[in-house]
Amino acid sequence: MKPSSSTSELLEAPLFDSADVDAALADTALVAAMLETEAALAAAEAEAGVVPSEAADAIGRACRDLHPDPAELGREGASAGNPVPALVTRLTAAVPEDARRWVHHGATSQDILDTALMLVAKRATGVVVDRLDDCGDECAALADAHRDTLMVGRTLGQQAAPTTFGRKAAGWLVAFDDAATRLAQVRESRLAVQFGGAVGTLAMLGEQGQTVVEGLAGRLELCAPALPWHTDRSRVLDLVTAAAFSGVGCDKVAGDVVLMTQTEVGELTLADAGGSSAMPHKRNPVDAILVRAAARRLPGLVATVVAATDQEHERATGGWHAEWAPMRDVLRLVGGMAERTARMLGGLSVHAGRMRANLDHTGGLVMAEAVAARLKPTLGRTTADEVVARCAQAASASGKPFADALLADPEVSAQLNHDDVAAALEPTSWLGSAGPMVDRAVEAHRRRRG
Amino acid sequence: MKPSSSTSELLEAPLFDSADVDAALADTALVAAMLETEAALAAAEAEAGVVPSEAADAIGRACRDLHPDPAELGREGASAGNPVPALVTRLTAAVPEDARRWVHHGATSQDILDTALMLVAKRATGVVVDRLDDCGDECAALADAHRDTLMVGRTLGQQAAPTTFGRKAAGWLVAFDDAATRLAQVRESRLAVQFGGAVGTLAMLGEQGQTVVEGLAGRLELCAPALPWHTDRSRVLDLVTAAAFSGVGCDKVAGDVVLMTQTEVGELTLADAGGSSAMPHKRNPVDAILVRAAARRLPGLVATVVAATDQEHERATGGWHAEWAPMRDVLRLVGGMAERTARMLGGLSVHAGRMRANLDHTGGLVMAEAVAARLKPTLGRTTADEVVARCAQAASASGKPFADALLADPEVSAQLNHDDVAAALEPTSWLGSAGPMVDRAVEAHRRRRG
Amino acid sequence: MKPSSSTSELLEAPLFDSADVDAALADTALVAAMLETEAALAAAEAEAGVVPSEAADAIGRACRDLHPDPAELGREGASAGNPVPALVTRLTAAVPEDARRWVHHGATSQDILDTALMLVAKRATGVVVDRLDDCGDECAALADAHRDTLMVGRTLGQQAAPTTFGRKAAGWLVAFDDAATRLAQVRESRLAVQFGGAVGTLAMLGEQGQTVVEGLAGRLELCAPALPWHTDRSRVLDLVTAAAFSGVGCDKVAGDVVLMTQTEVGELTLADAGGSSAMPHKRNPVDAILVRAAARRLPGLVATVVAATDQEHERATGGWHAEWAPMRDVLRLVGGMAERTARMLGGLSVHAGRMRANLDHTGGLVMAEAVAARLKPTLGRTTADEVVARCAQAASASGKPFADALLADPEVSAQLNHDDVAAALEPTSWLGSAGPMVDRAVEAHRRRRG
Amino acid sequence: MKPSSSTSELLEAPLFDSADVDAALADTALVAAMLETEAALAAAEAEAGVVPSEAADAIGRACRDLHPDPAELGREGASAGNPVPALVTRLTAAVPEDARRWVHHGATSQDILDTALMLVAKRATGVVVDRLDDCGDECAALADAHRDTLMVGRTLGQQAAPTTFGRKAAGWLVAFDDAATRLAQVRESRLAVQFGGAVGTLAMLGEQGQTVVEGLAGRLELCAPALPWHTDRSRVLDLVTAAAFSGVGCDKVAGDVVLMTQTEVGELTLADAGGSSAMPHKRNPVDAILVRAAARRLPGLVATVVAATDQEHERATGGWHAEWAPMRDVLRLVGGMAERTARMLGGLSVHAGRMRANLDHTGGLVMAEAVAARLKPTLGRTTADEVVARCAQAASASGKPFADALLADPEVSAQLNHDDVAAALEPTSWLGSAGPMVDRAVEAHRRRRG
């Protein structure tokens, strides 16, 4: 296939997107979903006695057989401001004369396009939830395997106190479980059909309005809304914010991975690290970098969807049209992020030795809090902190181990002997609830995954 | 009170904010919430046997008695990057010597500030939910009172087909009920205490970590999280997006009000319309304008909170600090929007005569869809549409009523007589489900409001 | 051509983009620009004596002959995080053995992609500037033709005081001239080649670094930067913000057009107004609506580019990759906006009669300021304003002309007789500098357009 | 001073803002600027013969003597939607009876508030430019002092190839010089008075409109615009984007500082590093973290100002009001960022020994590109790269120095002896144009600073 002379997503899609999600959201899929909506509408109207069943059947057949070119629909749709009229023209021409008046019966363009967008979103989010669960599974495995793998915890960019890699992975895990749960909920409870007619009153349907809405929803396995939502865009906003949460979880992992794979840190390496022809020693964490790049685009896209909720009167003068691209962009990006993060997590090499070496990098200073905790009962909080700070400074200045500085300090040595100091400096003694936190997160994940 | 020489919110707060929400979120309230957190922490630790109860009691008393100046805390906090250490210093100094080592026991600054922010958010969102319910009540009253008040529905900026003002108000109502429900849910289920210590392991608490977390949560009536959420900011994002939904509902009303109060439209006027000294005839819809101004700021603030979720390792290098202002700004703005919208809705004058006159503005053209519907059974869809379009054009060109143009057309007059045309042009015959939609929305609101 | 199963821009591009700009920015154009950059680099290096001229010639020939499929480059580029290595592999294979070591000599992927993006941006912005000038020409013609066409000025959504349609068009014109000037300046002075090698030191080039940079810039007709700008993204930000300014000008026109084409206002109609099959009377201002939809996406895209400037060390971990899509999206949208706005302006029907009728809608109240101005010398400011407000209210309440209310008021009639009131209420007397403003704006535009 | 019960900026301003910039932008300063504008307007109108000079003098005196409470103006302004009418009421009351009709003559609220905002922005940006120049001076000093201080360049988070700290500082420097130049230009050429009257025609001024505009501009040392810019907000957008550029430069430094102060990297420490009572060994780069936090807020604020440019008709229904807060917020944040960055740069300790140790961390692998360059003439590009990659891998696997792996490889040792390898691995031989780039950047800075 020769690429279109104006396409600008071929170079980037493989870097940022998920092929499965892209297929679910592609123009061809969206056009197919519009036709599916027209077919289901005719069928629901037939069931409600509004449309003759033969007409509905004919419309249904035509919808299955039509495969219009999205590029053509786009070009023809420019004068109406959306591609639905051009599609309806084709569909009308494709049914027998006596069924034509029942095509698109009682609907407005927005009814069809909104419903089709919800349909493709339902399929796309199904893939995303699966990929998030893959991420969760990988995190659970890492948390379990490294429940007791010591490493240093870092705050404000600095080494702070000991933790475990399992605890870190458990933190990632909780975010994936939350994100998957949330996205699945929105998928089930908020993706709805749109059907309101020209001004949201279903004028053409007489008394049968809500019956048809429910029939349409049942056929398409989407929710039936209480009222048409032509200018109440909270469903789109729900979808996009829930999707963004998924991206946030991936970005957190990617950010930590970029920092932990730094040459000087070296605690993780990726199976699929990218090479550099010019610099053969490099192991670029390409998946993490692409996830982070995608994450940078989410705030602006979410903001656009928030701003686009401003929709006038019965149908809007631009706000609606402004949603289409960012809505699909968010789902495409989030799909790619989740897929790439799952693969990255599955291929992580965890270097426990390097983690331990980094934990020891400061010669014990990261245990200062633990030492102060031992001194507080006798010295009081303020003095204990001052003494420990003094010893930490002495150790830093001299380059000697923190233990030596502590034992050389008369106020410390009056309280703690060599074994006390060794015990205070033992990282495994200062992990608090890290282990139980891991167990809790993994257990919750297993319950969720059934 | 003399304003600070550097304050820049005095001029604007009365225009955009709600005084009640501002009071709940103010610096003084936030500092008080930090002290409340320290007191509850000491009490929960005492209950878990970690801290002596006398110490906890002393800390509790000191927390109640301390009223530090936020400006001073801010200045002193600049070197640490947050105001908690300066507060802890004051609190430590305010308790007896033997209680001092138990102040802030096992906590990190972020534990205190995050929990305090959740506390003030809980209070602020309580006010916002009430104001949203006020908006819903007003919309329900309008929908009920104007269930059958005819007006023209407008799409893409143009008159389209008849609807009722009740139907429009029902659309607003559904959005308020959704927003209030959502915000109340987040308020109950997502606002949680933060307690993790330096690196999220609760190292200082030994085995008692989760017990203290739950005790703290119970005392502060916030949720107990499964794990500390120092770098998992989905709770903040939930709060901010749910708040933004509230703003979206207000902005929709304000946007419609601005359009309906236009001089040439004149369907609504506001009780509190702003005058202009230079132009005494003007009735500026000031409340609507201020709501719309506030709404313009929400997308950027939401985007900032999405972007700030990128938080490194165990505690972040800037992302956390970046949340504070937009989180409070969103709640402040949304509080003001909901308060102002409720007041505006309560003071709306609805000009049914003008609505009817505008509906008649096109001489019946807005009923074209209804006329075509009558012709389709005999003429078929394509011909019916063509005939109606031809008559519409003839009416527009000549300035005559649409009825005359229809009756003058041989293809129409072969099908429809004068009474048929009159019936087809009767707006009340073309309202579809508008009435039942109003009833459904009002009924749902009444159930919600119990 | 069968569309790709994953493409999602075919339906939307014809609605929002400019075909010319899209062609300049398309993947095929970008790949061609990368090859153009490799060729120019080899030539510049040959000129500087770094690369043998035969090798440079061979590379140049291969660059002209290669037409790789962007989709393939994208797929292969996923492992490196960008498509350049895959392109270099192809290019290397396409040159004779002894020229191979000189392919991509001293360059890093980012050098090639950044330079290629600047090249395509230069072409795209050339089109945009032309379209902005088209907009300016149309506005100048409207301003000139309607220099004295009376209409009502509207503020805060309300009729305020008289102005002219020429004055309004002059305001649009100034914005287009500003935007075109600014974008042309950025185009000339800020679009630069990128060449720094692996870490921005041009290590491979020895002493010849800056010479090659300048040779490259000369060949590609881009600027030569003082230093490589791998992580200093102000050029991209300049480009995107200048482009956004263009969009702002279009959006202002589109917003005014949407309001002025409202059925109840009717001051403008568009040549290409979109019809509605269901509502044949409708004249949807589709071009204006699509411009407004595009405008809604600009803030989020600009924000993304601002956020993406955060780029670490010598080359970034995601920020760079995050720029590509929003940078192209902004230019594509702005191109479409300018093209569509120019067409819309060229096809505007201006209904001077309706403008005058709307100006008279309030029965003279919009002249209140002018009346008060006549009374102030004798009554003083406060009394004059009060008296006018009282008469305005009386006129509103009774539905009578403002003139009658004024003449019926003893305080007014003591100062002004019937002719004075008529003169005060004459809109042409209250246009201030509207005419000279039009003349000034049109004259400046003519100077600019030479 | 007791803080207001609803103020929410006291805790944060000292962390994020500059006291000087805050003072320039504070409510009190803004109110003073409004009065300054009213005084200058009266004086300019007197000079143009529109207003009696005694009246102008009286107004000028009253403007100097009035010091209204911003909080009161805010409260009273809520009904008009802005504080100007309440100010004008006070000002009118403060002048003698016969001067009253000349107060605010011909002006609309937006004229006064826009001009006052430009005035305070002029003062605030003056401070910001100075702070950016401080940053530039510090960078120039660092670049000069460390022109030849070796360190490793890092790309995609990985060590890549040698550079110098001087080269890095030169990159920062160029960004500050650009930002300062750009902001100073906007300050001089784009900050303009606003004066258009009710609908932008200067109706009240008859023929004297432009004369008064120019007189007003001259008095306030702002630009005189060609037309009023009530709904053409490109000046505000220029101001905000130029300010954002300044923030971008600061954020780049802060980001690099956070990474270079990581415990495992240790190449820089800050003079004002924040301590942690619980972890006395920590040296938190608080200034860098606060700068990064502020930077996270800029994209959303810029986006808000872009979105707010959508302003209807002659004066807007919310867009204008939405600008005030983000415009001041951006300047406040950028002021704080520049001040904090200058201080941080002035207090940097540069650890050249640690830089060198990190450069040697990979045992020479970062010189792979240099080795390959030596092999290409004889082995050709592809083979040379393969050989070097093979040796790099061998060195990594065995943990031995890269030199040993190279000499052990027969293909390498056939080309290079021990001395050749040592020379190829010498970082100083592979710095390309780093030194001249430093010189060029420093020289340009010195020219700029005169």
Side-chain angles (χ1 to χ4, degrees), chain D residues 242-258:
Chain D
F245 272 96
S246 314
V248 163
C250 298
D251 185 44
K252 166 63 179 159
V253 173
D256 283 355
V257 165
V258 166

Side-chain angles (χ1 to χ4, degrees), chain C residues 9-65:
Chain C
E9 62 190 34
L10 300 172
L11 276 174
E12 296 196 31
L15 276 69
F16 297 112
D17 297 0
S18 150
D20 292 342
V21 172
D22 282 6
L25 294 170
D27 286 330
T28 45
L30 184 56
V31 171
M34 291 184 216
L35 289 166
E36 209 175 332
T37 303
E38 294 282 6
L41 177 61
E45 291 176 329
E47 191 174 48
V50 175
V51 161
S53 2
E54 305 74 37
D57 291 347
I59 292 168
R61 275 192 303 275
C63 287
R64 275 189 299 280
D65 294 344

Side-chain angles (χ1 to χ4, degrees), chain A residues 221-243:
Chain A
E221 297 180 36
L222 293 170
C223 303
L227 255 63
W229 44 281
H230 287 147
T231 54
D232 173 2
R233 310 307 291 176
S234 58
R235 292 168 194 278
V236 177
L237 194 46
D238 259 328
L239 171 64
V240 165
T241 52

Side-chain angles (χ1 to χ4, degrees), chain B residues 155 158-159 261 264 282, chain C residues 155 158-159 261 263-264 282:
Chain B
T155 64
Q158 301 293 299
Q159 289 196 356
T261 54
E264 295 86 354
K282 286 194 75 181
Chain C
T155 63
Q158 302 292 300
Q159 288 196 357
T261 55
T263 310
E264 295 85 353
K282 286 193 74 181

